[in-house]
Amino acid sequence: MARLGFLVTLFLAMISCQQEQQESNKKEPVKETTEIAEQKEPTEPKETEKWEPKPPKVSVDSQTKVPSDAIVLFDGSNFDEWVSAEDASPVKWDLNEDGSMTVKDKTGDIQTKRNFGSVQLHIEWRSKTESTGKGQNKSNSGVFLQNRYEVQVLDNNDNDTYVNGQVGSIYKQSIPLAMASSPTGEWNSYDIIFHEPEFDEQGHKTKSGTITVLHNGVLIQDHVTIEGTTEYIGWPKNKPHGKAPIKLQDHKDQSGVSYRNIWVREL
Ligand code: MG
């Protein structure tokens, strides 16, 4: 009799456990906004039309493809918007006749004179035609948002490396969704949408930054949450900061990476 009682208890416990499991698997339905929930269903099309605020007009130059509200950071003619990152001295990289610039080995990173918050950034890059080296030492450079968050630039053609450090990765944080590189020596584009992190007055992060990247038009980072600084060694750090420059990396390994057509829209 006692045994039967035990079995019944066990059976009931299993049923209850299964029910709990089913409950926890249930997803909460998305709640409608109060505004929508409290109004009665419209019967006329105009009831759901909005006429303001009107989005500002932005036109795109038919030749350069630069939007009319963008800040041009590099059009091939000069380094006016840039300085050496180390000491704010004039840029020592090469300015080329074809409207591009090339990393001059061991002259250091360069960064914008202006500071930026959240941005849409367009930048084009190409690896060295005769790209030698292996792994992280094959045309390595990088685009750093707010001087801290690196979108990796690397020649990954026939060149494997750790995937969270490959071309298009958020360095050591987010593996790209695809490897969309042009062949070695050909131009690539990055279109980056970056939302800066936010910090309170005590220096605590109150909102993480996010990055979206299109590589040659292919989505490779989809609104990825930034965990903190993109460190070579160690975990991401989250020291509070405000607006900061955009930086391009001299990896100091004869990377020979070139850049062109750089513009930014502040968000
Ligand atoms: Mg790099």
Side-chain angles (χ1 to χ4, degrees), residues 100-115:
S100 66
M101 59 162 121
T102 302
V103 180
K104 194 166 188 177
D105 201 37
K106 297 189 176 67
T107 61
D109 303 340
I110 65 168
Q111 68 183 36
T112 55
K113 290 178 181 171
R114 300 178 202 235
N115 293 320

Side-chain angles (χ1 to χ4, degrees), residues 32-44 46-50:
E32 287 180 338
T33 61
T34 327
E35 192 191 345
I36 289 176
E38 285 175 357
Q39 287 177 17
K40 70 178 204 299
E41 182 69 17
T43 53
E44 294 295 327
K46 66 179 178 189
E47 289 179 68
T48 46
E49 289 171 3
K50 283 183 180 166

